[in-house]
Amino acid sequence: MIVYQNSRITVFQSALYHTTSSVITLDECTIVVDPTWLPQEVREIRDYVDQVGRGWPIYLLFTHSDWDHILGYGAFPEAKVIASEKLHHHPNPDEIVEQIKSFDDKFYLTRDYELKYPVADILIAENGQQVQLGQTLLTFYLAPGHTDDGIVTVIDPEGILLAGDYCSDIEFPYIYSSSSDYVATMRQLHQVLEKHDIRVLAPGHGNITTDTSEMKTRIDQSIAYIETLRQHIIEGNQEAIDAMIEGVPFPRNMKNYHASNQEQIRKELGL
């Protein structure tokens, strides 16, 4: 369903994990970001793009390679794909597709498009790389930490920041790649806010914010979570570690991600 809309961006939110998919309508093209989850939800996004696109070229922008973010790829066969070079050259693309198929089989879901891993037409390989789409300039920042192939995107002059699986208001950091990289990405996002006039931040999970103070708070909270967790692990303070997620939403599920983060950081620390 649509949870946010202005003259340029429409944000859909799935019933699953509060996952967002954004559609940005520009003067010469349409950008679709991470179209995802249930078949009828992907179809709703596809129908909306057909309605507002006016026959313009469609660009699919993938923020990272997690299977829940790329599973709508096949619904837009005519689109050109923008993604990081690392996503394009993922070492195990078949494994990602198998995760989608396992999910669909588990819940008896069928889709009206082919499930396959994205092939990128425009590769993002450098920090600050820019791409001109008609009159609109996109600036990309490499964003490792959650995964190693993430990117965040700024759409100027619309003031839109597409954050991928960062800056959520319902999730603490989920660290699949590197906690140090995650913190560095968060610090870089502070610089992005200083450099660009960001008026809308769309995270991959959770709620959109148009409040700059809220954007900064989300960044700071992510840094604090990682640095606090790392310190408690070094000190061997499991009681304090467990207390960190008291009061989080959906605690039965999120405690698993908190445990996974502990394993990741212990591995990084050699513990």
Side-chain angles (χ1 to χ4, degrees):
M1 65 177 181
I2 294 174
V3 294
Y4 178 83
Q5 192 169 40
N6 65 23
S7 61
R8 289 300 192 185
I9 183 171
T10 299
V11 181
F12 294 80
Q13 189 177 81
S14 171
L16 301 181
Y17 298 101
H18 289 199
T19 313
T20 66
S21 302
S22 297
V23 177
I24 297 97
T25 51
L26 303 175
D27 293 333
E28 305 89 353
C29 66
T30 303
I31 302 174
V32 184
V33 185
D34 295 349
T36 192
W37 272 123
L38 298 173
Q40 63 268 30
E41 293 174 336
V42 176
R43 172 49 54 189
E44 181 184 2
I45 296 167
R46 173 78 241 200
D47 289 345
Y48 179 78
V49 171
D50 290 342
Q51 175 187 342
V52 303
R54 303 179 187 177
W56 298 328
I58 299 171
Y59 291 86
L60 275 183
L61 170 60
F62 291 112
T63 62
H64 61 295
S65 64
D66 279 350
W67 66 271
D68 57 316
H69 287 259
I70 62 98
L71 65 76
Y73 170 54
F76 297 86
E78 78 279 33
K80 291 186 177 181
V81 173
I82 305 172
S84 73
E85 186 174 51
K86 284 190 174 182
L87 183 150
H88 180 73
H89 294 295
H90 194 284
N92 298 301
D94 292 341
E95 181 180 306
I96 303 293
V97 174
E98 182 58 32
Q99 289 176 308
I100 301 172
K101 292 179 178 179
S102 294
F103 172 80
D104 282 0
D105 283 1
K106 181 177 180 179
F107 295 104
Y108 300 176
L109 298 176
T110 58
R111 300 178 187 272
D112 59 1
Y113 58 87
E114 182 182 359
L115 296 175
K116 53 186 178 179
Y117 189 82
V119 175
D121 301 287
I122 299 174
L123 300 180
I124 307 305
E126 299 178 2
N127 217 28
Q129 184 173 336
Q130 295 184 316
V131 173
Q132 190 83 33
L133 298 181
Q135 300 298 313
T136 303
L137 183 67
L138 279 63
T139 305
F140 300 91
Y141 296 92
L142 304 182
H146 172 66
T147 61
D148 69 348
D149 55 17
I151 53 174
V152 296
T153 307
V154 175
I155 301 180
D156 288 320
E158 310 305 332
I160 298 170
L161 174 59
L162 304 166
D165 276 5
Y166 298 104
C167 300
S168 173
D169 63 334
I170 63 168
E171 293 179 348
F172 49 77
Y174 292 179
I175 310 164
Y176 302 156
S177 176
S178 164
S179 66
S180 297
D181 284 350
Y182 202 118
V183 170
T185 291
M186 291 297 95
R187 297 195 190 284
Q188 177 176 245
L189 280 179
H190 269 310
Q191 298 173 4
V192 169
L193 293 182
E194 292 176 1
K195 184 175 181 179
H196 299 270
D197 178 21
I198 302 300
R199 299 186 294 281
V200 178
L201 184 152
H205 300 270
N207 297 299
I208 280 63
T209 181
T210 59
D211 185 331
T212 303
S213 295
E214 170 69 12
M215 299 175 197
K216 294 177 180 178
T217 296
R218 293 187 188 187
I219 294 170
D220 289 338
Q221 288 175 339
S222 293
I223 294 171
Y225 168 86
I226 294 172
E227 292 184 339
T228 301
L229 178 57
R230 185 184 294 133
Q231 187 59 39
H232 288 331
I233 289 173
I234 291 172
E235 295 169 352
N237 191 342
Q238 189 61 46
E239 183 178 355
I241 291 171
D242 294 341
M244 287 180 65
I245 61 167
E246 290 180 357
V248 299
F250 317 110
R252 293 165 186 79
N253 184 48
M254 288 194 175
K255 70 179 182 180
N256 298 321
Y257 291 100
H258 188 51
S260 177
N261 288 343
Q262 295 169 54
E263 293 178 10
Q264 175 66 31
I265 291 177
R266 287 191 176 101
K267 182 173 67 174
E268 294 173 14
L269 294 172
L271 299 176

